[in-house]
Amino acid sequence: MEAAFRVLEILEKSDGPVSGEYISDKLSVSRSAVWKHVKELNAMGYDISASQADGYQLTKKSNRLLPYEVHKNLRTGLIGKKMRYFETTPSTISVARDLLTREPAEKLNGLVIIAEEQTGGVGRMGRSWISPTGGIWVTLVLKPAIPVDHIFMLTMAGAVAVARAIRKEYDLGALIKWPNDIYIGDKKVAGLLLELSAEADTIHSCLLGIGVDANISPKELVTTVHGNVTSLSAETGHDVDRAALLARILKEFESRYLLIESQEYDTVIREWKSLSCTIDQRVRISTLKNTFEGEAIDIDEYGALVIRKDNGRVEHVIAGDCVHT
């Protein structure tokens, strides 16, 4: 696979056709090996023309979310430097769990697992997560050096990263709906899921799942009781460059991740508030214990939503469903 991408690099840098002999000499491989690598690239979605007279020419790049394409845009020091790619898998978070049974979290820290399609994606509260081809379905494996009681800050950092990336790439007014959804207007376009492995005050690992409805028709997505759904292609009127967007999300996340590890929580909290569509809204909160309504007035230092209930009492909610009423 790596050899095939070395062939691709040569084709990308060329203004015209490149002879098989030139590529063969450049990479010190046989011409039959060059042909084999070109076939591999074609199978990955790249259009490469071939002729005996002119040689090979890249005519169209792949629209898959390949690590090679993401890395061309990636500007991080840790997050995403290592990637695993799957055309299809039940869920990227289950792949991450399996990897953590075989390798230490310290070694996997910053790894990003990518899937073109998830056949068994899971969201919060065990709900199914529709994950067809065309979206961005990833899990970040993290070993954060933070207190366990500040773990929700990672979800906040992820939400800020996704919202900022969408705003910067497409000039769309993406906002964060507590606890872990990204909305454009009144329609959900992305969501996050945090899974923690910890013992007492020691964090063993964190898995941050991110799903973005990128190049998907909203008709493919299931409408839930929490509102409508949309996609970036539906909002922009054209397919988006998923690799460039994912690279931007990872960069935006890493900068907030480093702030959190430096215990600069207030910076992330302020940014989250500035992007919130939940603060100052009347909401209905459902937790494992009860359901109540009130006004969302703030977010505290641990990421809990602060609610002024109808009876005047103030309650801090760290986990639950939130519906704007």
Side-chain angles (χ1 to χ4, degrees):
M1 191 74 76
E2 191 173 326
F5 285 119
R6 288 202 297 270
V7 172
L8 180 60
E9 285 179 1
I10 293 173
L11 297 177
E12 286 179 325
K13 292 176 181 177
S14 173
D15 293 329
V18 184
S19 70
E21 183 178 4
Y22 174 83
I23 300 173
S24 172
D25 292 342
K26 190 80 171 175
L27 300 180
S28 300
V29 298
S30 68
R31 292 184 66 174
S32 63
V34 173
W35 170 248
K36 174 189 170 188
H37 296 321
V38 167
K39 296 291 282 184
E40 288 175 341
L41 292 168
N42 282 328
M44 284 186 275
Y46 295 94
D47 286 346
I48 301 172
S49 62
S51 74
Q52 288 188 336
D54 299 323
Y56 302 104
Q57 185 171 10
L58 177 67
T59 56
K60 183 181 178 183
K61 79 171 193 176
S62 174
N63 63 1
R64 297 187 189 181
L65 197 56
L66 298 165
Y68 173 84
E69 296 294 339
V70 180
H71 280 139
K72 285 195 294 188
N73 299 282
L74 193 62
R75 303 292 182 268
T76 61
L78 171 68
I79 306 297
K81 287 298 184 180
K82 296 176 289 185
M83 292 183 175
R84 301 279 182 97
Y85 171 85
F86 299 85
E87 286 191 20
T88 184
T89 186
S91 75
T92 55
I93 210 161
S94 64
V95 171
R97 286 192 211 110
D98 181 61
L99 286 173
L100 284 167
T101 64
R102 293 181 276 115
E103 297 185 58
E106 291 82 2
K107 183 178 178 181
L108 296 174
N109 189 27
L111 172 69
V112 176
I113 300 164
I114 302 170
E116 294 288 349
E117 173 192 48
Q118 294 183 130
T119 57
V122 178
R124 292 181 62 251
M125 314 288 282
R127 300 187 185 96
S128 64
W129 189 329
I130 306 301
S131 316
T133 301
I136 296 175
W137 320 119
V138 300
T139 290
L140 282 59
V141 182
L142 306 168
K143 173 68 173 173
I146 61 174
V148 71
D149 60 1
H150 279 79
I151 200 65
F152 190 74
M153 294 292 299
L154 297 182
T155 302
M156 295 177 69
V160 168
V162 175
R164 284 288 183 214
I166 291 173
R167 284 170 166 261
K168 290 178 179 178
E169 290 288 320
Y170 315 114
D171 197 27
L172 294 171
L175 294 171
I176 304 167
K177 176 178 173 290
W178 188 91
N180 62 349
D181 292 332
I182 309 301
Y183 272 63
I184 296 174
D186 63 350
K187 299 176 182 178
K188 178 177 174 178
V189 74
L192 299 95
L193 176 67
L194 183 67
E195 187 171 296
L196 169 67
S197 174
E199 188 175 358
D201 295 330
T202 302
I203 296 175
H204 298 310
S205 65
C206 287
L207 303 178
L208 181 64
I210 299 175
V212 182
D213 299 332
N215 299 330
I216 306 172
S217 167
K219 293 179 181 179
E220 294 184 61
L221 304 168
V222 174
T223 301
T224 73
V225 295
H226 298 289
N228 296 323
V229 291
T230 189
S231 66
L232 295 176
S233 58
E235 295 295 324
T236 61
H238 58 79
D239 279 358
V240 301
D241 186 333
R242 292 185 299 150
L245 176 59
L246 178 55
R248 169 81 75 169
I249 290 171
L250 298 179
K251 178 179 182 294
E252 298 285 344
F253 176 76
E254 181 175 89
S255 65
R256 279 84 184 174
Y257 185 64
L258 295 175
L259 286 172
I260 291 170
E261 287 205 315
S262 299
Q263 299 184 14
E264 296 182 44
Y265 308 127
D266 287 348
T267 303
V268 177
I269 291 172
R270 282 197 302 270
E271 191 171 18
W272 189 97
K273 286 182 183 180
S274 74
L275 292 167
S276 172
C277 63
T278 299
I279 303 297
D280 297 328
Q281 293 290 321
R282 181 169 177 79
V283 296
R284 181 168 64 252
I285 302 295
S286 298
T287 69
L288 293 175
K289 294 181 179 179
N290 61 355
T291 298
F292 61 89
E293 295 190 6
E295 182 185 1
I297 59 174
D298 204 356
I299 191 106
D300 71 14
E301 62 181 308
Y302 303 107
L305 189 64
V306 183
I307 311 293
R308 182 183 292 115
K309 299 168 73 172
D310 291 342
N311 61 11
R313 294 182 58 185
V314 172
E315 188 157 338
H316 295 235
V317 182
I318 194 64
D321 278 339
C322 172
V323 178
H324 294 182
T325 60

